[in-house]
Amino acid sequence: MKILFVTSEANPFIKTGGLADVSFALPKALHEKGEDVRIIMPKYEDISEDFTSKMTQLATYGVSVGWRNQYCGLKYLTYDGIPVYFVDNEYYFKRHGCYGYFDDGERFSYFCRAVMESVKYMDDFYPDVVHCNDWQTGMVPLYLSEIYKDRPEFSKAKSVFTIHNLKYQGVFSHSVIQELLGIGEEYFSEDKIKFYDGISFMKAGIVYADKITTVSKTYAKEIQTAYYGEGLDGLLRQKSAKLVGITNGIDYSSNDPKKDKYIVNYGLTTLKNKAVNKEMLQQLAGLPVNSDVPVIAMVTRLVKQKGLDLVTRVIEDILKMNVQLIVLGTGDNDYQDFFEYYASSYPAKIASFIQFNNAIASKVYAGSDILLMPSLFEPCGLSQMIAMAYGTLPLVRETGGLSDTVIPYNEFTGDGNGFSFTNYNAHDMLNVIEYAVSCYQDKKTWTKLVKNAMRTKFEWKTQADEYLKIYNEIVEE
Ligand code: ADP
C-alpha cells in the first residue's frame, strides 16, 4: 500500500501539540508493517539545521494560488527509514512556529496545492491513499476529487481525512475561493465548503474525503452532537457512515522512563528512582523537597479547551490541600499570567514554567504523582498516556479520548489507572483531587495504581492496523 501522509507538523521536525506526535508515530508504525508511507509537510524556519542540512532538493515548480504562480522547492530526507518531503517557500514558511499568522488561509491554500503538484516528482509513487490531517490539509481531498483525479499519479488515489481537533477549522472569507483556492463560485454552497458567510477548510476535508476518522471512539460520537460539534455536527451526522474513531497510541520508544535521557531512569522494578526524579523536580521548581506531598502537574497548551477555567476557579482550595502544583505550558496570556501570579504569591505550593520545553516535560512526567487534565473537550489527548507510561496517575474529566483511556480507580476491585469526574464542574474536580490525595497517603494502594498505569499500553502497532483496515476498505471500493 502506498500512503501519502499530509500534515502541517511532525515530530521531531517541529511540534506544537499532539498532531506532531501522531504525524510521525503513525507513519512509523505503518512503515514497520511494510507499507510504503511518505510524509509531506511545510519547511518552516524552526526546523533545525540538523535536519535542513540533510535535505536534498528534488524539484522546483510553480504552484497556482488564485491567479498568481508561486515558487515551490520540494525537499527531501529520510528519517527512521521514512521518506519525508518538505514544501519550501520562504515567503510562506520562513517564519517562527507553524500557525497564527494573518495570512494562514493563503499559506495553507498554497500548501494544499503544492502537495497536489509534488507527487509527480516522487520516485515511483502513485499513492493508493492520501491521508490528510486537520484543517491545514482540508483542501487536499477537494482538489483530489474535483481537479486532480484524472492525473496519472492520482489515478488510484483515495483520501482519508483525520480530525485531530474540530475546534480549529480554518474558516476564512468567501473571497478565498477564487483569490487563493482558484476554484469556482459554485463551491460556495452549503453542501460544499460554505460555512456561514465564509468558507471552511475543515468542512472541505469532511465533505470530500472518502473516509473521515477522528482520534478516539468517544470523540467520534461527541462531535455528532451540538455541544461538541462546533457547528459541523449536522454534517458529521450526515456523514456518520464514513466516520470512524481510532484512538491514538504513543511511541513507547520515545516515551520510556527506562531510556529517557532527561531523567534518572526507572521501570516497574526500579520505582524507587521515580522518587529521585520527584526530588529533583521539586528542586528544579523551587518547591520544598518532600516525598510525602503529592505533586500534581499539568503539561498542556494553556487554552480554554484544557479545562483551565476549572483550575482557576478553585485554585485557592487546591493550594489549601497538602499538595504541590507544577504547570508547564504556553498559550493564552490570561492563563500564563494567572499561573505566574500564583507561583510568585505561593512559591512553596506552586511553580510555573511558561515555556514549551521537551526536557522539562520529561522531568515533570517522571517526577510528579498526578497529571491533572480536566479538559472541556479532548479529541484524544496524549499527555495522559505519556503520564501513565511514567507511572504518574492521570486525573481527568470523562470526555473524548480521556474517557477511552483512563480507567478510574475502583476501591472495591483495586482496578484502575487514574481518577476521573464527569461534569465540567470545578467542585466535582476538587472532590476527586481530594480523593486522589487521600489515596496517595496509602502507599500500598498508590504503588499498585502506579504499576497498573505503567502496564497500560496504547500501542501504535495495534492502532495502525485499524488505519490499514479502512485504507483497504476504500481502496477496494
Ligand atoms: P494537544 O494536541 O491538544 O495539545 P495532546 O495531549 O494530544 O494535546 O498532546 C500534547 C503533546 O504536547 C504531548 O506530547 C505533551 O507532552 C506536549 N506538550 C504540551 N505542552 C508542552 C510544553 N509546554 N512543553 C513540552 N511539551 C508539551
Side-chain angles (χ1 to χ4, degrees):
M1 179 90 62
K2 294 187 190 297
I3 305 143
L4 182 65
F5 196 88
V6 188
T7 182
S8 56
E9 52 180 287
N11 201 15
F13 311 111
I14 194 156
K15 166 169 169 177
T16 73
L19 172 62
D21 290 331
V22 175
S23 293
F24 200 79
L26 173 57
K28 187 172 157 193
L30 291 166
H31 172 78
E32 281 163 5
K33 289 179 187 291
E35 310 302 334
D36 181 355
V37 50
R38 307 184 185 192
I39 299 171
I40 184 162
M41 60 181 285
K43 180 176 175 287
Y44 302 101
E45 178 174 29
D46 292 349
I47 296 177
S48 82
E49 164 93 42
D50 289 352
F51 297 119
T52 53
S53 62
K54 295 193 178 81
M55 293 178 190
T56 50
Q57 178 128 321
L58 288 182
T60 60
Y61 50 88
V63 171
S64 52
V65 178
W67 55 267
R68 288 165 297 161
N69 196 34
Q70 301 287 30
Y71 166 87
C72 180
L74 186 66
K75 296 210 148 65
Y76 169 85
L77 56 71
T78 52
Y79 186 80
D80 260 4
I82 299 167
V84 188
Y85 299 87
F86 295 87
V87 166
D88 185 20
N89 175 306
E90 296 202 343
Y91 170 69
Y92 289 128
F93 297 125
K94 198 170 166 43
R95 309 183 194 181
H96 174 59
C98 298
Y99 329 111
Y101 292 95
F102 75 98
D103 57 348
D104 278 358
E106 179 170 345
R107 296 169 77 219
F108 289 98
S109 297
Y110 163 82
F111 175 64
C112 290
R113 197 87 189 210
V115 168
M116 302 313 294
E117 295 295 339
S118 68
V119 175
K120 59 176 174 285
Y121 302 104
M122 298 179 185
D123 210 15
D124 186 27
F125 189 73
Y126 284 22
D128 299 296
V129 175
V130 180
H131 187 155
C132 304
N133 296 278
D134 269 354
W135 78 260
Q136 293 86 350
T137 65
M139 290 300 162
V140 170
L142 181 150
Y143 283 143
L144 190 58
S145 130
E146 304 293 291
I147 299 177
Y148 286 79
K149 60 176 183 286
D150 297 328
R151 293 263 192 107
E153 67 270 30
F154 292 115
S155 54
K156 300 182 292 181
K158 294 289 169 77
S159 60
V160 174
F161 182 68
T162 298
I163 301 167
H164 295 261
N165 194 332
L166 191 64
K167 176 93 186 161
Y168 305 99
Q169 297 195 355
V171 174
F172 302 101
S173 77
H174 172 195
S175 61
V176 164
I177 286 199
Q178 290 190 2
E179 284 170 19
L180 302 177
L181 297 171
I183 55 178
E185 196 51 32
E186 67 275 18
Y187 288 91
F188 191 67
S189 75
E190 290 298 343
D191 60 334
K192 299 199 166 83
I193 66 173
K194 179 173 185 292
F195 191 66
Y196 296 94
D197 292 337
I199 62 107
S200 160
F201 276 55
M202 179 68 88
K203 187 172 174 185
I206 295 169
V207 169
Y208 289 97
D210 295 299
K211 197 91 185 180
I212 308 149
T213 76
T214 187
V215 288
S216 69
K217 298 207 180 333
T218 299
Y219 194 59
K221 287 190 206 126
E222 286 173 344
I223 55 178
Q224 298 180 54
T225 68
Y227 186 84
Y228 291 99
E230 304 288 348
L232 289 174
D233 46 298
L235 174 66
L236 288 161
R237 284 196 297 278
Q238 189 197 331
K239 296 274 178 191
S240 66
K242 285 189 178 184
L243 171 64
V244 188
I246 303 177
T247 307
N248 285 334
I250 56 171
D251 179 357
Y252 284 93
S253 64
S254 56
N255 290 293
D256 183 357
K258 279 197 196 132
K259 290 193 215 135
D260 190 326
K261 64 180 175 198
Y262 298 117
I263 63 167
V264 178
N265 294 129
Y266 61 94
L268 271 171
T269 54
T270 45
L271 268 178
K272 60 180 186 322
N273 279 352
K274 182 164 170 67
V276 179
N277 284 294
K278 176 166 174 177
E279 214 171 278
M280 287 164 58
L281 177 65
Q282 286 172 321
Q283 274 166 1
L284 178 73
L287 295 167
V289 173
N290 185 341
S291 62
D292 293 333
V293 182
V295 172
I296 303 176
M298 299 188 80
V299 179
T300 185
R301 288 183 292 122
L302 295 175
V303 295
K304 190 176 171 64
Q305 174 197 338
K306 299 296 177 179
L308 296 159
D309 295 335
L310 301 190
V311 180
T312 59
R313 175 78 179 76
V314 292
I315 186 82
E316 308 261 346
D317 301 279
I318 297 174
L319 298 181
K320 273 185 215 147
M321 290 184 220
N322 183 30
V323 299
Q324 295 174 349
L325 185 64
I326 298 180
V327 178
L328 168 63
T330 52
D332 295 351
N333 285 338
D334 286 356
Y335 295 128
Q336 296 189 168
D337 293 349
F338 176 88
F339 286 114
E340 291 208 306
Y341 169 77
Y342 272 91
S344 64
S345 305
Y346 299 90
K349 296 291 290 182
I350 166 168
S352 67
F353 298 96
I354 304 299
Q355 47 183 301
F356 196 98
N357 186 314
N358 292 331
I360 299 182
S362 281
K363 292 178 208 278
V364 173
Y365 285 123
S368 7
D369 300 296
I370 296 169
L371 181 94
L372 180 60
M373 213 167 160
S375 303
L376 173 61
F377 67 93
E378 194 60 71
C380 178
L382 299 178
S383 297
Q384 83 280 12
M385 300 185 197
I386 302 172
M388 285 188 233
Y390 284 77
T392 298
L393 300 183
L395 192 162
V396 305
R397 186 170 97 81
E398 290 158 19
T399 182
L402 298 175
S403 294
D404 296 350
T405 55
V406 176
I407 305 163
Y409 171 49
N410 179 330
E411 60 193 22
F412 302 105
T413 63
D415 292 341
N417 53 25
F419 301 89
S420 66
F421 61 100
T422 311
N423 294 323
Y424 192 68
N425 176 294
H427 286 89
D428 285 4
M429 176 186 76
L430 194 64
N431 279 338
V432 179
I433 296 178
E434 273 166 4
Y435 177 59
V437 169
S438 73
C439 293
Y440 180 79
Q441 304 311 334
D442 175 359
K443 287 292 160 235
K444 209 168 134 215
T445 302
W446 195 264
T447 308
K448 182 171 185 308
L449 284 174
V450 166
K451 289 186 175 168
N452 285 354
M454 290 174 82
R455 287 193 186 107
T456 311
K457 295 285 182 229
F458 306 95
E459 297 279 4
W460 267 117
K461 268 207 299 282
T462 335
Q463 303 314 83
D465 283 336
E466 304 242 345
Y467 280 99
L468 274 176
K469 201 168 118 204
I470 62 162
Y471 295 161
N472 278 315
E473 265 169 41
I474 54 176
V475 167
E476 277 161 24
E477 268 169 26

